[in-house]
């Protein structure tokens, strides 16, 4: 594997029906309200936008997103990514034990210069940073769905 290449996977068990989970994950413009590390999302087109994130480490990422696949019946949301990260990310939402599981998969190459330079020595920190970001997202999504804030 190249030093600037990352594959991430996260499994989010959620006590809500797949349709509600899918709809919440589909609304990228609402992410900053429930996912603490997502600082901003601005639409740049009907199927595209600019995402700005910052997790625990002191750097921000700006990522242009464009829809690649949107299939509610299959529970799949997939975006292409460019900018500070190049590649793709996918959500697969499935029923599970009376609720849902949202599987997140991401395959990216780091484009941001500083992060490329630190790829080898800081890799464990980058992976831990991503894990913390995903933990924050899962907590935020669960809170959103439990309180019914997604239905407003």
């Amino acid at each position: 594997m190249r030093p600037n290449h990352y594959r991430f996977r996260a499994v989010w068990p959620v006590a809500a029906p797949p349709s509600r989970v899918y709809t919440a994950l589909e609304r990228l413009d609402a992410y900053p309200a429930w996912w603490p590390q997502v600082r901003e999302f601005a639409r740049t087109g009907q199927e595209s936008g600019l995402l700005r994130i910052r997790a625990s480490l002191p750097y921000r990422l700006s990522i242009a997103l464009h829809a690649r696949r949107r299939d509610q019946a299959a529970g799949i949301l997939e975006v292409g990514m460019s900018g500070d990260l190049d590649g793709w990310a996918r959500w697969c939402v499935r029923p599970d034990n009376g609720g849902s599981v949202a599987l997140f998969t991401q395959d990216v190459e780091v484009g941001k210069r500083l992060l490329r330079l630190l790829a080898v020595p800081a890799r464990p920190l980058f992976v831990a940073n991503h894990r913390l970001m995903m933990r924050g997202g899962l907590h935020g999504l669960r809170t959103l769905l439990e309180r019914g804030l997604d239905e407003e």
Side-chain angles (χ1 to χ4, degrees):
M1 185 180 290
R2 297 175 309 277
N4 290 301
H5 182 250
Y6 291 84
R7 278 199 182 129
F8 295 109
R9 185 175 185 272
V11 178
W12 289 10
V14 183
S19 60
R20 281 186 62 207
V21 174
Y22 182 94
T23 299
L25 293 173
E26 183 180 42
R27 294 180 182 150
L28 291 170
D29 51 341
Y31 278 32
W34 59 265
W35 195 334
Q37 295 81 7
V38 175
R39 302 304 170 97
E40 180 184 351
F41 179 78
R43 291 214 174 270
T44 57
Q46 189 172 355
E47 296 288 321
S48 61
L50 182 63
L51 182 72
R52 295 189 197 281
I53 58 175
R54 181 169 188 271
S56 298
L57 294 177
Y59 61 83
R60 292 179 185 259
L61 297 175
S62 293
I63 307 160
L65 304 177
H66 61 276
R68 287 181 20 172
R69 183 171 178 197
R70 228 175 173 168
D71 185 342
Q72 186 164 7
I76 297 173
L77 290 166
E78 186 174 311
V79 294
M81 306 166 75
S82 59
D84 291 340
L85 298 178
D86 293 304
W88 55 269
R90 178 185 310 124
W91 287 106
C92 294
V93 180
R94 304 275 185 265
D96 185 61
N97 294 325
S100 304
V101 65
L103 172 64
F104 176 80
T105 310
Q106 185 179 42
D107 190 294
V108 293
E109 186 89 16
V110 174
K112 191 171 185 112
R113 185 172 168 14
L114 176 62
L115 301 183
R116 291 181 69 79
L117 292 171
L118 296 172
V120 174
R123 186 177 191 88
L125 289 173
F126 296 159
V127 170
N129 193 55
H130 189 273
R131 192 173 300 121
L132 288 171
M133 180 177 165
M134 296 307 287
R135 186 179 302 156
L138 173 57
H139 176 73
L141 180 64
R142 284 177 172 166
T143 301
L144 175 84
L145 296 168
E146 286 168 9
R147 294 183 180 166
L149 301 174
D150 61 309
E151 298 174 330
E152 293 178 353

